[in-house]
DNA sequence: TCGCGAATTTGATCAACATCAAAGCGCCGA
DNA sequence: TCGGCGCTTTGATGTTGATCAAATTCGCGA
């Protein structure tokens, strides 16, 4: 790691100086001046697991960056069945541009740090600065890719393959460096069994049984229900179906 | 229908004059000058059902507008299982900006008319004209909404609800005016039973049985395997689960 | 450290959908 | 008009994952 000489930290808002979103996130598309303007109207907050960030069919007047933790995006059927339709990791942008009403629920599944800004401010900035809109298009396209990958998992994979795919998804998002040859990784599950089931279109019991099977076969180890040690990424991939 | 006096048709490229994409599609974001430039490099073509437009994992150097017909977007698993991850109707934009290689297959499921342009031309135009990128962001966001709706269908609905949801999706795309109170609509299925199964994550047999059940219950009538008459949109919605 | 409630695992049974098999029908060319 | 091929429907049976039920384990505060 070398110090970036091209950036004068003194010109960057205090709030943003150590912020992840300024690198990988949408704020990377802003110049110092814009960052100053936006940061004045923005605020940081920490929330606990289970905190509802956006209710389904609720009017929203702010956007956020996820700075740490995991947020689940949910959709429900009228009789209570639920499906998780996306997971947002840092430094993802949270919110649906150009729509007043959210058609998604958003809830923290771990401790989450957010940086939020008024919708209007972002939309104004988007008009002046094509770079921001470009960045947003990039993230949206990549979310669309992810959603379509997951449609294959939901529609065509077996329960065992679904659970393996889920573990790989988490492993790759939490430890992006992990390579299949390397073999091992370790992480804390950011979701409960119930959430995993809602993400995979399964029941908790089926999720639990498949995890037990992976454990019995020595592919993973689980400590304290949450901490997962992947003994062999390669074998996990083999079980993921694709 | 009134004539639009604000547009001088003489200034619009012949190719574009009667083109659907110039209204709802991405070309609506272009001014006459840009339209002229793009149309010089673009070409129209008609293809038959079953024509592969883009192969999975294939390099692509052009984008297209769907002018008529239906294109299915597919993803496959290594052992041959397939999932349709999206359907494109006119005047949708076809292609994945900012990526050389497609991770999707695209295939015509009906007679399809396409207007294609070189990737480079579109990308150049996108840099000069924020309006085009904005339009593309809009379509991408709406495709993401659709994909997430479909994830709920794939993950949490029963076979009966899936088939009803599918019929509604087609009805709404082919006859957008159809209202639930109106009651009736009619359309030709743009997909074979095998395609419907791949879209819904089911087998052909299950799709067939569910269609039979809908017919037996008087919700729909089917003529010649392809032509569907929805007797009651309201009852179809009731069966779609949400 | 103990004890309680919630989350998870495990077990037994059931239902939905898949699979395997065969018959029916519609379309198209000879 | 006839015949054949491919698509669709229908039927019988099998398997996967859901459901119902109970036992364990974990997290956490007293």
């Amino acid at each position: 790691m070398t110090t970036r000489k091209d950036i004068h930290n003194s010109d960057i808002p205090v709030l943003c100086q150590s912020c992840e979103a300024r690198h990988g996130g949408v704020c990377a598309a802003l110049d110092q001046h814009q960052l100053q303007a936006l940061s004045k109207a923005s605020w940081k907050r920490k929330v606990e697991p289970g905190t509802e960030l956006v209710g389904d069919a609720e009017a929203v007047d702010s956007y956020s960056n996820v700075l740490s933790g995991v947020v689940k995006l949910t959709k429900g059927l009228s009789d209570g069945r639920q499906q998780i339709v996306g997971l947002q990791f840092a430094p993802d942008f949270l919110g649906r541009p150009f729509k007043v009403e959210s058609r998604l629920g958003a809830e923290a599944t771990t401790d989450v740090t957010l940086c939020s800004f008024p919708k209007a401010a972002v939309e104004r900035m988007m008009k002046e600065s094509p770079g921001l809109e470009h960045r947003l298009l990039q993230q949206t396209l990549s979310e669309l890719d992810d959603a379509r990958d997951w449609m294959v998992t939901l529609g065509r994979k077996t329960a065992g393959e679904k659970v393996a795919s889920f573990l790989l998804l988490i492993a790759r998002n939490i430890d992006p460096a992990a390579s299949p040859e390397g073999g091992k990784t370790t992480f804390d599950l950011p979701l409960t069994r119930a959430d995993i089931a809602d993400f995979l279109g399964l029941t908790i019991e089926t999720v639990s049984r498949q995890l037990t099977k992976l454990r019995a076969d020595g592919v993973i180890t689980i400590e304290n229900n949450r901490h997962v040690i992947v003994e062999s990424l390669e074998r996990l991939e083999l079980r993921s179906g694709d």
Side-chain angles (χ1 to χ4, degrees), chain A:
Chain A
M1 283 280 172
T2 59
T3 311
R4 298 182 57 170
K5 297 208 182 78
D6 52 334
I7 292 180
H8 303 281
N9 270 320
S10 55
D11 293 338
I12 291 174
V14 183
L15 197 62
C16 307
Q17 272 182 31
S18 62
C19 176
E20 260 215 77
R22 194 159 57 79
H23 301 120
V26 287
C27 294
L30 302 175
D31 62 30
Q32 289 173 27
H33 187 261
Q34 293 172 312
L35 212 51
Q36 289 276 6
L38 193 56
S39 78
K40 270 182 201 140
S42 75
W43 65 98
K44 254 191 195 176
R45 60 181 161 147
K46 275 201 161 105
V47 301
E48 297 192 334
T51 308
E52 186 180 72
L53 302 171
V54 183
D56 204 341
E58 178 179 298
V60 187
D61 58 359
S62 69
Y63 295 125
S64 302
N65 280 320
V66 179
L67 302 186
S68 72
V70 178
V71 174
K72 67 174 178 187
L73 306 177
T74 63
K75 260 178 180 283
L77 260 27
S78 48
D79 64 358
R81 282 174 287 176
Q82 262 215 349
Q83 177 68 42
I84 294 182
V85 297
L87 292 178
Q88 312 266 172
F89 299 83
D92 288 347
F93 178 84
L94 195 62
R96 171 60 165 90
F98 319 127
K99 278 219 171 167
V100 178
E101 204 192 7
S102 170
R103 294 182 51 240
L104 255 51
E107 190 179 312
T109 65
T110 63
D111 283 315
V112 167
T113 326
L114 290 173
C115 181
S116 309
F117 359 84
K119 221 166 183 241
V122 177
E123 270 159 18
R124 193 176 336 112
M125 212 159 277
M126 226 153 53
K127 270 181 201 148
E128 313 166 340
S129 154
L132 179 55
E133 194 155 37
H134 182 77
R135 190 71 200 61
L136 222 42
L137 176 57
Q138 295 273 17
Q139 165 163 339
T140 307
L141 282 166
S142 126
E143 279 182 38
L144 183 57
D145 288 343
D146 291 346
R148 286 176 165 162
D149 280 340
W150 210 248
M151 286 172 72
V152 181
T153 301
L154 288 172
R156 288 301 185 199
K157 290 190 186 172
T158 64
E161 292 169 338
K162 285 180 177 182
V163 171
S165 302
F166 168 73
L167 292 175
L168 280 174
L169 177 88
I170 300 299
R172 287 180 181 142
N173 271 283
I174 288 183
D175 178 8
S179 63
E181 301 84 40
K184 297 203 174 195
T185 334
T186 268
F187 52 85
D188 279 321
L189 284 175
L191 269 61
T192 64
R193 301 293 187 271
D195 281 337
I196 299 174
D198 279 347
F199 193 34
L200 296 171
L202 298 170
T203 58
I204 9 179
E205 293 94 329
T206 300
V207 170
S208 175
R209 276 184 250 269
Q210 295 300 332
L211 286 172
T212 304
K213 195 177 289 180
L214 285 172
R215 216 176 336 155
D217 295 352
V219 182
I220 60 170
T221 309
I222 301 183
E223 285 168 359
N224 300 336
N225 279 340
R226 283 291 187 127
H227 191 72
V228 174
I229 301 157
V230 179
E231 304 291 348
S232 163
L233 271 169
E234 207 168 8
R235 287 217 280 152
L236 198 54
E237 284 184 353
L238 237 39
R239 287 183 175 239
S240 75
D242 41 27

